[in-house]
Amino acid sequence: MTSKSNSLNEFGSWLKFFANCRFYLFFCVKISHMKRKIITTFALTMVTFGVAHAADEVWSLADCVDYAKSHNISVQKFRLNEQSSEYNLEEAKAKWQPSLDFNTTHGYTNMPWGSSNKNTYNGQIGLNAGWTVWNGGERENNIKRNKLNIEISKLETEDALRTLETDLLQVYLNILYAREAICIYEEAEKLSDAQAERMRELMEAGRASKVDYTQLKAQHQQDQYNLVNARGTYDTRRMELKKLLELGIDREVSLADVEITAQQVLAELPPMEESYRLALDTDVKLKEMGLQEKGAELDVAIAKASGRPKISLNAGIGTGYNAPGAAFGVSLKQAWSENIGLTLAIPILDNKKRKTAVALAKVQQLNTQLDAEQRQTDLAQAVENWYIDTRSAQSRYIAAELQLESAKASNELTNEQFNLGLVNTIELMTAHNNLVEAQQALLQSKYMALLGLKMIEYYRTSTVSL
């Protein structure tokens, strides 16, 4: 009895042990699951926070311009050109300094059938200095030309920045336009969906035909397509902005809201002749061409200098050693030499190099003058075109406002009649499409007029703002 009792106690102990082990394993698995859940939740929270942070990054036009000035690759390349021009100027100034060269030559000669020494060694060591006293004014004009090149490269960078600003303005307004267009098509899609659903109920009640329902369903699908297309256009415009800003795939662009009033769109334009004069005064390209013309004059002077006499001063010291012969030190002392000389070089025939260089420089000078005249003509045409486009857009905006009022009234009346069964589906669809077209016409004319006004302001002040 005692043995059986002990066996039962031992068996109970084993059961208790296994139960504890099972609880422990369950507890470990539970803890592990909780840890994974906590880690996963934390990771999802961080990702969500990162996405929300990226989505909350709102850009104004000023933000875009400031960021692009520092990150746009094209602008950075122009800045590198500025540095190259500065290095070229340093090199041109260094032509006033003397040159100094160290040279050494060593040779071994073997004469197997010679009558005396069959093997000889020869070594030469020397320092040579040279300085150009006068080279027809080429050196001075090269320095002036490189100084002009620095100013030109700075103007090229400024012109690239101005072009970047106008590109950003147009892309920014295109994004705002595309964003508002999405809102128009969303409302149109909701309205056509409600109309199609209403027609389906009438068809099921026997008060409308399947043809009417199919027509309104097709209208709804067309509005869905227009909405998808508008969203695609919006994404494309955002990609254009990201390209100008040099943003990576991990950065999102969300534009700040810009309030555009009818007073801004219909603002009175300043006198066109005054805008053209201001455009001439503020145009960087014209300033650059003026410097290019001065540079062409210096190129002519540099080309003429190649036909003038040149004076240079040369000096040098050297020694050598021959073996077999005297002792090494004695040989170096005996071979020691010093020289100084003045060289006058007078060009006589140079295969028409100077004449050709002068002619090409003069052609470039005339070409630069023609470029400046062409730039003035292009500015006049650009200013006039923006005035024409802006006035036309303002006129279309006024007409589009009236058209939209009529389209809204017609659409509301047609919907009321449709609910009463007084109009057919063709009339309903026509009123719907007319409303969408009127909204699009007003939106397009608004942004075209605003772009024109801002571009005219840019030609007058060289600044871009919204």
Side-chain angles (χ1 to χ4, degrees):
M1 187 69 181
T2 304
S3 176
K4 183 181 289 187
S5 176
N6 291 336
S7 299
L8 289 173
N9 291 335
E10 185 177 0
F11 179 73
S13 299
W14 279 105
L15 286 176
K16 186 176 182 181
F17 171 77
F18 282 120
N20 290 335
C21 289
R22 183 180 178 185
F23 174 78
Y24 176 77
L25 290 173
F26 175 78
F27 180 78
C28 290
V29 170
K30 198 70 176 177
I31 291 295
S32 177
H33 177 71
M34 290 177 64
K35 287 172 66 178
R36 287 199 304 270
K37 188 174 182 180
I38 291 171
I39 293 172
T40 304
T41 305
F42 176 77
L44 289 174
T45 303
M46 294 302 295
V47 170
T48 305
F49 174 79
V51 172
H53 178 70
D56 291 339
E57 192 174 8
V58 179
W59 296 72
S60 66
L61 179 61
D63 295 333
C64 294
V65 171
D66 292 339
Y67 186 88
K69 285 180 178 180
S70 302
H71 296 80
N72 185 266
I73 293 177
S74 298
V75 173
Q76 293 182 53
K77 287 184 176 181
F78 278 106
R79 291 197 175 105
L80 291 178
N81 290 338
E82 290 184 35
Q83 295 182 12
S84 299
S85 300
E86 292 175 356
Y87 293 143
N88 291 333
L89 176 60
E90 291 181 8
E91 182 183 6
K93 289 181 177 180
K95 295 292 180 66
W96 280 101
Q97 301 173 5
S99 62
L100 180 63
D101 298 325
F102 168 79
N103 63 81
T104 178
T105 305
H106 301 272
Y108 174 80
T109 305
N110 179 34
M111 295 181 291
W113 293 283
S115 57
S116 58
N117 296 321
K118 295 183 179 182
N119 299 310
T120 60
Y121 168 80
N122 176 270
Q124 300 291 330
I125 301 173
L127 281 175
N128 297 311
W131 181 57
T132 302
V133 181
W134 191 68
N135 63 348
E138 180 179 352
R139 185 168 44 192
E140 296 88 338
N141 288 323
N142 267 326
I143 292 175
K144 294 178 182 178
R145 185 64 167 103
N146 281 282
K147 287 181 178 178
L148 271 180
N149 288 341
I150 291 178
E151 296 181 30
I152 290 171
S153 61
K154 289 181 179 178
L155 288 176
E156 288 176 345
T157 303
E158 186 178 350
D159 183 61
L161 288 170
R162 285 161 58 94
T163 302
L164 180 62
E165 289 179 358
T166 55
D167 290 343
L168 286 170
L169 172 66
Q170 296 186 36
V171 173
Y172 200 93
L173 290 179
N174 282 336
I175 294 175
L176 294 178
Y177 167 79
R179 191 167 67 182
E180 288 195 40
I182 290 176
C183 297
I184 292 176
Y185 286 116
E186 284 178 344
E187 292 298 324
E189 190 271 338
K190 290 179 182 178
L191 179 59
S192 60
D193 183 35
Q195 291 173 345
E197 182 64 22
R198 172 60 177 165
M199 184 59 72
R200 185 186 65 80
E201 294 174 355
L202 293 175
M203 180 188 67
E204 292 176 351
R207 298 172 55 190
S209 67
K210 188 175 182 180
V211 175
D212 294 334
Y213 170 70
T214 304
Q215 288 176 337
L216 289 185
K217 189 66 177 178
Q219 177 65 58
H220 175 234
Q221 292 171 349
Q222 179 63 44
D223 288 337
Q224 285 181 323
Y225 173 81
N226 292 337
L227 177 58
V228 171
N229 190 42
R231 287 171 177 167
T233 302
Y234 175 70
D235 291 336
T236 301
R237 296 293 178 261
R238 286 201 307 163
M239 281 298 300
E240 293 174 358
L241 180 59
K242 289 178 66 174
K243 182 179 179 180
L244 291 175
L245 298 176
E246 306 294 347
L247 295 178
I249 196 172
D250 57 334
R251 298 286 297 276
E252 292 295 331
V253 176
S254 179
L255 302 191
D257 294 329
V258 179
E259 184 179 356
I260 303 172
T261 63
Q263 289 76 12
Q264 289 176 299
V265 175
L266 300 176
E268 185 178 357
L269 300 181
M272 184 168 60
E273 294 78 8
E274 181 183 78
S275 297
Y276 174 62
R277 288 196 301 270
L278 290 173
L280 292 177
D281 294 337
T282 59
D283 187 63
V284 176
K285 207 74 175 176
L286 272 178
K287 296 177 183 178
E288 177 190 336
M289 290 176 178
L291 294 181
Q292 290 282 14
E293 190 172 349
K294 293 180 180 179
E297 294 176 1
L298 289 173
D299 290 338
V300 173
I302 292 170
K304 289 181 177 179
S306 62
R308 295 171 185 165
K310 294 178 177 59
I311 302 174
S312 59
L313 180 66
N314 303 299
I317 56 174
T319 186
Y321 173 73
N322 295 317
F328 181 74
V330 175
S331 179
L332 290 179
K333 183 177 181 180
Q334 290 176 348
W336 181 268
S337 65
E338 301 170 348
N339 65 83
I340 187 170
L342 190 66
T343 302
L344 173 64
I346 301 176
I348 299 175
L349 296 175
D350 62 351
N351 299 322
K352 291 188 176 181
K353 291 182 180 179
R354 182 189 65 85
K355 185 176 181 181
T356 303
V358 172
L360 290 174
K362 288 183 178 179
V363 168
Q364 182 60 34
Q365 185 178 13
L366 293 174
N367 192 41
T368 305
Q369 293 174 357
L370 292 176
D371 287 341
E373 294 177 6
Q374 183 64 49
R375 179 62 180 175
Q376 293 178 5
T377 303
D378 292 343
L379 275 177
Q381 292 178 351
V383 170
E384 186 174 3
N385 284 336
W386 280 115
Y387 268 81
I388 293 173
D389 292 343
T390 305
R391 286 168 178 162
S392 176
Q394 288 177 331
S395 299
R396 291 199 305 271
Y397 181 81
I398 296 173
E401 281 187 318
L402 299 175
Q403 182 184 7
L404 181 59
E405 291 179 4
S406 300
K408 282 182 178 179
S410 175
N411 186 66
E412 291 175 0
L413 181 60
T414 304
N415 274 279
E416 291 177 2
Q417 292 177 334
F418 169 73
N419 292 329
L420 297 175
L422 301 177
V423 296
N424 56 35
T425 55
I426 300 299
E427 294 172 325
L428 181 66
M429 292 166 59
T430 300
H432 175 78
N433 291 330
N434 288 340
L435 176 61
V436 174
E437 290 176 3
Q439 290 173 330
Q440 277 292 330
L442 181 65
L443 183 65
Q444 185 178 20
S445 59
K446 178 178 75 171
Y447 279 101
M448 284 299 299
L450 184 62
L451 176 60
L453 289 167
K454 294 302 177 180
M455 288 302 299
I456 292 172
E457 179 185 346
Y458 160 77
Y459 280 112
R460 293 173 63 87
T461 63
S462 299
T463 58
V464 172
S465 61
L466 274 181

